[in-house]
Amino acid sequence: MGTPSLLDRLLNGLDSASRRLYVAASRTIARRATTTTTTMETLEQIKPTMAEIDPRIPDALRVAFRLGGHRLSSPGANDNEGFASFVAAVLPAPPVPDCPAVVPAPRAARALRLDVGSCYLPHHDHDSHFGASDFGVLGVADGVGGYSERGVDAGAFSRGLMTSAFAAVVSAPPGAPVCPYTLLELAYEETAASAAPGASTAVILSLAPAADAEESPRLRWAYIGDSGFAVLRRGKILRRSRPQQSRFNCPYQLNSTGNGDRVTAAETGEVPVEEGDVVVAGTDGLFDNMFDEELERVVRMGAALGLPAKNMADVIAGVAYEMSRNRARDSPFSVESRRHHRADRWSGGKEDDITVVVAFVALSY
């Protein structure tokens, strides 16, 4: 007997009523998406309760990831065709041939923009973020929680970084390219000069226009520590940051006292992007609880349902939240704990602040 396919595993143990839930959920979410305005919380971060986030998680995701905490919708009838389309959306994306049969003729590079949306689910309230769609820049920072044990506001440095970065972005001349490393350096210098307490990880990303007609626009980044990002194309991760750590669960971090890591330790780079790519940035509250293939699956599902960036961020954060409180399943954090042979090996998810910023790469107006 051959190895079960992903479809077999997805449907394993589900009765016909559960199958119909996929379609009922997809139709409901699709209708909701058409009436939702995409907005971006900048410095005034949203702090939705799980009661607000819970209804935004499609029932289909709950069945597929075996999540609880929500009464599933009543299924409809005659949903076989819709269910087949929905399942196809969450299956792995087909591979793209290395050598296409027809090579398209070169065309002039088209201007792109970032449509940005975010969701923040506080636990300790040490995260901060910003997004500026008009400037094609976004950032996420995570205050180091250990400082709170010293009676220090562990979120102060992360808020300082993002406040300074956002202020610099919106004061730049329109159309001026933004270098993420330079922006991170500037934000660090201003925050350190203010003597803000605590320490923070951070990631900043920006969209750079094509240099000429033969090139594609590029997504540029600079990050320090375990705040990170993933770039997805057609539902598969194209580029993924890897956490910088001094040791397990001790990320690189910036602080005001000079005994932290230097900005020069930041990882920098860039990747060409195209219309339809999805960028997901977040703190470790996201990436400690969701495996790469799970993130791919949620993004494919959100794309199939036509969710705007804001709703996509809500769903990703909501799923990560429920996974963080699930002790019956492995998480990236628990796997890493075992890999480092920790005496206090972690089991299940890891409760933490969860910040998710989603940016759709789209054609400029």
Side-chain angles (χ1 to χ4, degrees), residues 2 4 88 125 180 304 318 335:
D125 201 13
V335 169

Side-chain angles (χ1 to χ4, degrees), residues 44 46 54 58 82 93 122 153 165 168 217 221 229 279 298 302 330:
E44 185 62 31
I46 60 169
D54 188 66
D153 179 0
W221 64 79
F229 69 93
V279 181
V298 176
D330 253 338

Side-chain angles (χ1 to χ4, degrees), residues 16-275:
S16 59
S18 296
R19 295 183 179 196
R20 290 196 296 271
L21 287 173
Y22 281 96
V23 182
S26 66
R27 291 174 177 171
T28 299
I29 296 299
R31 286 195 300 271
R32 186 179 299 156
T34 61
T35 59
T36 302
T37 301
T38 303
T39 59
M40 174 63 200
E41 298 75 23
T42 54
L43 302 178
E44 185 62 31
Q45 299 176 0
I46 60 169
K47 296 182 179 180
T49 63
M50 281 311 298
E52 294 171 323
I53 285 295
D54 188 66
R56 302 178 191 175
I57 303 176
D59 289 345
L61 275 173
R62 297 184 178 281
V63 177
F65 288 99
R66 289 177 167 56
L67 300 175
H70 179 76
R71 184 173 180 177
L72 300 179
S73 307
S74 299
N78 300 321
D79 290 327
N80 289 337
E81 181 179 349
F83 174 71
S85 299
F86 181 81
V87 170
V90 300
L91 292 174
V96 179
D98 293 331
C99 300
V102 178
V103 179
R107 63 180 181 181
R110 294 185 291 179
L112 299 177
R113 60 186 170 85
L114 295 181
D115 285 338
V116 187
S118 71
C119 182
Y120 176 39
L121 300 179
H123 181 63
H124 306 291
D125 201 13
H126 300 157
D127 285 5
S128 185
H129 71 278
F130 78 92
S133 293
D134 291 343
F135 296 86
V137 186
L138 59 96
V140 172
D142 180 6
V144 177
Y147 280 85
S148 61
E149 299 173 2
R150 311 176 195 178
V152 170
D153 179 0
F157 207 85
S158 67
R159 291 193 297 272
L161 286 175
M162 295 295 97
T163 298
S164 295
F166 179 71
V169 168
V170 298
S171 63
V178 175
C179 171
Y181 177 83
T182 302
L183 184 59
L184 178 62
E185 185 177 45
L186 172 65
Y188 167 71
E189 290 173 353
E190 290 187 354
T191 306
S194 73
S200 181
T201 67
V203 57
I204 293 176
L205 302 107
S206 70
L207 184 64
D212 55 51
E214 300 300 320
E215 294 187 0
S216 299
R218 294 154 294 139
L219 184 75
R220 307 173 69 186
W221 64 79
Y223 69 88
I224 189 89
D226 56 7
S227 290
F229 69 93
V231 182
L232 298 96
R233 179 169 296 164
R234 294 186 285 278
K236 296 292 290 182
I237 290 178
L238 175 69
R239 186 62 63 92
R240 166 82 154 82
S241 63
R242 295 302 169 193
Q244 298 175 307
Q245 298 188 104
S246 301
R247 60 183 183 278
F248 175 67
N249 202 30
C250 184
Y252 287 14
Q253 54 200 257
L254 304 173
N255 65 24
S256 296
T257 61
N259 62 355
D261 295 286
R262 297 180 180 274
V263 178
T264 53
E267 190 78 25
T268 62
E270 62 181 47
V271 64
V273 291
E274 61 186 42
E275 180 189 5

